[in-house]
Amino acid sequence: MSEPSPFAGPGPDAEYRRLLAEGRFCIQRCRESGRYVFQPRVLSPFTGEPTLDWVEVSGRGTVYSTTVIRRRPEQGSDYNLVLVDLDEGCRLMSRVEKLQPSEVRIGLKVKARIARDKDDAPIVVFDPAESA
Amino acid sequence: MSGIRGTSAVVGVGLSTRWEAPGRTALELLAEAVHAALADAGLRLDQVDGLLTGTAVHFMPTLSVAEYLGIRPRFLDGTMIGGSSFVEHLIPASLALNAGLCDVALICYGSNQRTASGRLVSGSEPQPYEAPYGPRNPITGYALAAARHMHQYGTMRRHLAEVALAARSWARLNPEAFAREPTTIEEILAARMVNDPLSVRDCCLVTDGAGAVVMVRSDRATDFPKPPAYLLGAAAATWHRQISAMPDLTVTAASESGPRAFAMAEVVPSDIDVLQLYDAFTINTILFLEDLGFCPKGEGGRFVEGGTIAPGGRLAVNTNGGGLSCCHPGMYGLFPLIESVRQLRGEAGERQVVETELALVHGNGGQLSSQVTAILGTAATL
């Protein structure tokens, strides 16, 4: 039996979402460099080869930057949007819940939680670490 | 590396300054600018044999534009890297001219974004790992960069307002600028917040309009009515597409494109007489002043304090009024390029920077994603 091709079947994008739907927040790690990478992809940017494995991550991170997206009252309330640096060393866009949008500060320690978006798809959001 | 230094030149520029043009299509505006640029160069449309263009509303922009103009170019380039595209187009245009693939290269762009949608919207496809969180692109990415710069370097909203005020002060000297009403720092600071820390006054205009530039090889650049603006150096760099993939939100790839363009041009930042920096948002000007070497990293906010980049200041930046106060028809890169050429020719009227020999134009695209620096000079700089 030969090894299955790393390029066959559903790809990393589908796998990320499948794992999230199972309640597992996983990120790819390059087995050569040990470095984590997000977004999910086929080739490791560190080796140029398909050397990426899925690893369930701690979900702990730090707010790298934050903004409040203002809306006119008839459009709904203002909301927060952040970039979070995971402790594992990669960054993703998300939002911080359980705080007022303007209370979210750069440097805030946060913890991931799997929530559902408006289409009921699983997405990663964050809560302040102390309240998690 | 300096293979294209001084080998090609801009000999014609043209605008459509119909910044609000109800009932006009993007291509109609574009054709007006092309007509003006060709008249400026003393050329006819049927002499154009190289076409470089991009729009946000055509799937195959070079084909739509060629057909609409009624030309059959033998060289096409439609590189689409957002607002920086038209500064980048200088590079393939110069290469194609030098290789003899074409003799007259036309770079052109038109948009009716203001009257078609009236909003600062991105035509981009949603990014799957960002879209669920509702970013209001393009603004959100720049707001995140501004927030980080403020956190890391103590930059203040007042510094951002200085950039907006300087742009408006230049626009007041430009009869073609769209936004020319007088304003103050206090008025700018009191504006409605959009994405913290950016208010509506930190954002570029939304206008209609068009621009066009005609390039030829340098061996014939003096055969045209206007003094040539020679392309001395140009370089493009990209490190990411989505803001969430930008390695450090306080350092753009202009820190790579700038040094490469300067090396090709064989000049240094202190040689530059006038700068046109793509100011889609006020934070851009601060980031590019730092990344292109006009002030140290982190000092951009303090650097612009007190009118440093305003008329009469130490450094002439965005002399047409920029995207913040002159025009911003969806993608802006061609307009700072045209202003650079006008400054080099001494055609800029009341806003003319005296004894301009070297001009830097810097294009930005996407979410600080694409950075393109070009340096142009008069015959004296060859």
Side-chain angles (χ1 to χ4, degrees), chain B residues 196-214:
Chain B
D196 298 31
L198 301 183
S199 80
V200 66
R201 296 291 293 274
D202 291 300
C203 301
C204 62
L205 303 169
V206 179
T207 68
D208 301 330
V213 157
V214 179

Side-chain angles (χ1 to χ4, degrees), chain B residues 168 181-191 201:
Chain B
R168 179 60 57 87
E181 315 77 47
T183 189
T184 63
I185 290 276
E186 290 67 31
E187 194 178 87
I188 294 167
L189 284 171
R201 296 291 293 274

Side-chain angles (χ1 to χ4, degrees), chain B residues 42-295:
Chain B
L43 285 164
R44 295 185 319 270
L45 187 58
D46 62 7
Q47 291 171 291
V48 172
D49 60 356
L51 175 65
L52 302 96
T53 190
T55 73
V57 294
H58 298 96
F59 180 62
M60 298 183 283
T62 50
L63 304 189
S64 296
V65 171
E67 177 192 88
Y68 188 77
L69 293 175
I71 58 175
R72 296 181 174 188
R74 43 189 191 115
F75 177 78
L76 289 176
D77 185 286
T79 302
M80 176 52 178
I81 47 176
S84 60
S85 301
F86 315 95
V87 186
E88 194 277 344
H89 288 169
L90 290 168
I91 301 170
S94 188
L95 293 171
L97 288 164
N98 278 296
L101 300 180
C102 64
D103 294 318
V104 175
L106 172 68
I107 305 172
C108 54
Y109 172 72
S111 168
N112 63 346
Q113 188 177 30
R114 182 180 180 84
T115 49
S117 82
R119 292 182 54 212
L120 185 57
V121 289
S122 169
S124 167
E125 78 285 4
Q127 305 297 305
Y129 294 94
E130 295 191 339
Y133 306 103
R136 291 290 174 87
N137 290 331
I139 303 167
T140 301
Y142 294 85
L144 290 166
R148 185 71 201 180
H149 200 277
M150 291 166 82
H151 171 80
Q152 215 165 307
Y153 295 112
T155 306
M156 297 187 292
R157 286 198 60 228
R158 190 176 183 86
H159 297 141
L160 302 177
E162 284 269 6
V163 173
L165 181 64
R168 179 60 57 87
S169 305
W170 282 110
R172 288 179 54 70
L173 303 178
N174 178 7
E176 290 178 338
F178 183 74
R180 304 188 67 211
E181 315 77 47
T183 189
T184 63
I185 290 276
E186 290 67 31
E187 194 178 87
I188 294 167
L189 284 171
R192 174 173 64 86
M193 292 301 282
V194 182
N195 280 195
D196 298 31
L198 301 183
S199 80
V200 66
R201 296 291 293 274
D202 291 300
C203 301
C204 62
L205 303 169
V206 179
T207 68
D208 301 330
V213 157
V214 179
M215 282 183 90
V216 299
R217 274 182 301 281
S218 290
D219 56 13
R220 57 188 289 235
T222 52
D223 299 345
F224 300 89
K226 299 286 180 69
Y230 294 91
L231 180 64
L232 301 177
T238 181
W239 297 344
H240 67 279
R241 163 72 174 85
Q242 314 170 71
I243 199 67
S244 55
M246 183 172 178
D248 178 342
L249 262 65
T250 68
V251 182
T252 75
S255 59
E256 180 193 329
S257 65
R260 283 203 265 117
F262 280 117
M264 188 186 287
E266 299 166 15
V267 298
V268 296
S270 58
D271 295 329
I272 301 293
D273 299 305
V274 59
L275 290 78
Q276 312 298 334
L277 309 177
Y278 192 135
D279 56 343
F281 301 91
T282 49
I283 188 65
N284 296 35
T285 306
I286 288 172
L287 288 170
F288 300 149
L289 285 169
E290 295 172 357
D291 290 337
L292 295 171
F294 290 89
C295 67

Side-chain angles (χ1 to χ4, degrees), chain A residues 13 16-17 38-40 64-72 79 81 83 91 93-95 106 123-124, chain B residues 128-130 133-136 140 143-144 147-148 151 192-196 242-244 246-249:
Chain A
D13 181 75
Y16 174 76
R17 294 171 202 286
F38 192 81
Q39 55 189 296
Y64 174 75
S65 194
T66 182
T67 183
V68 181
I69 298 178
R70 307 290 189 117
R71 290 197 283 191
R72 296 181 194 281
Y79 59 97
L81 183 147
L83 298 177
R91 184 178 299 154
M93 184 175 283
S94 187
R95 64 172 174 260
I106 291 174
I123 58 165
V124 174
Chain B
Y129 294 94
E130 295 191 339
Y133 306 103
R136 291 290 174 87
T140 301
L144 290 166
R148 185 71 201 180
H151 171 80
R192 174 173 64 86
M193 292 301 282
V194 182
N195 280 195
D196 298 31
Q242 314 170 71
I243 199 67
S244 55
M246 183 172 178
D248 178 342
L249 262 65

